[in-house]
Amino acid sequence: MENCLKRSVEQYRKIVEHAEQLGVLLKQADPEILLGYTERLRELQDEAQQHDQAFVRVFSQHASELINHPLFIEREQLFEKIVKLNHLLLPRIRGMMAVTAHEISQIKGGRTAMAGYHQPPRKNRRSVRGIG
């Protein structure tokens, strides 16, 4: 029971530590680094989901014992911290996405405009001067 709770808390600590890096990464705005960050976050969330499935089984049987357990309280605090981080970072992410979408639409518009310009085909011009 306690071991299951410890694993869950450790997993959410990892998620919080990872999520705290996002603010700095957003300032760098490096797509490759952000992609790596996102992939690692998904891995951590998948692991947390596995721990949570085990925890829910244990919690359903021992809820009255676990509700006041220090690790359970810490787990709840970690959830709150994750929610706060999301509320702080989501507006920045949405803003960056909006700017990027606007830039992409401008680029597409530029390509469309450039595609509309055609040079007239060149004709083989022969010299007006004769030989001799």
Side-chain angles (χ1 to χ4, degrees):
M1 175 176 76
E2 189 168 324
N3 192 30
C4 183
L5 186 55
K6 280 182 185 178
R7 284 195 312 261
S8 179
V9 168
E10 288 172 8
Q11 190 63 36
Y12 283 105
R13 282 181 190 153
K14 289 178 186 177
I15 289 173
V16 167
E17 288 173 9
H18 189 71
E20 288 175 335
Q21 299 172 18
L22 185 57
V24 173
L25 297 179
L26 288 175
K27 289 179 185 175
Q28 295 174 356
D30 184 326
E32 288 183 32
I33 292 174
L34 289 171
L35 180 62
Y37 170 88
T38 303
E39 289 172 359
R40 178 65 181 141
L41 182 60
R42 281 191 192 122
E43 291 171 5
L44 291 170
Q45 289 173 333
D46 289 345
E47 291 171 18
Q49 182 180 13
Q50 292 172 0
H51 291 298
D52 284 347
Q53 289 173 349
F55 177 76
V56 167
R57 287 190 297 270
V58 170
F59 185 77
S60 64
Q61 297 170 0
H62 304 281
S64 60
E65 299 169 46
L66 290 173
I67 230 126
N68 294 316
H69 194 286
L71 286 174
F72 183 82
I73 294 168
E74 181 180 354
R75 185 175 183 268
E76 294 296 312
Q77 291 170 343
L78 289 168
F79 286 158
E80 290 173 11
K81 192 164 190 172
I82 290 169
V83 169
K84 285 179 185 175
L85 285 169
N86 284 342
H87 285 296
L88 290 173
L89 295 172
L90 280 176
R92 288 179 57 194
I93 293 169
R94 286 187 181 123
M96 291 177 74
M97 288 173 60
V99 168
T100 303
H102 179 70
E103 290 173 351
I104 289 171
S105 70
Q106 285 183 325
I107 290 169
K108 286 181 180 179
R111 284 186 184 166
T112 303
M114 291 301 292
Y117 293 106
H118 296 288
Q119 287 185 339
R122 291 188 172 189
K123 297 179 182 177
N124 287 338
R125 294 186 180 182
R126 293 189 178 170
S127 176
V128 180
R129 288 196 227 159
I131 299 178

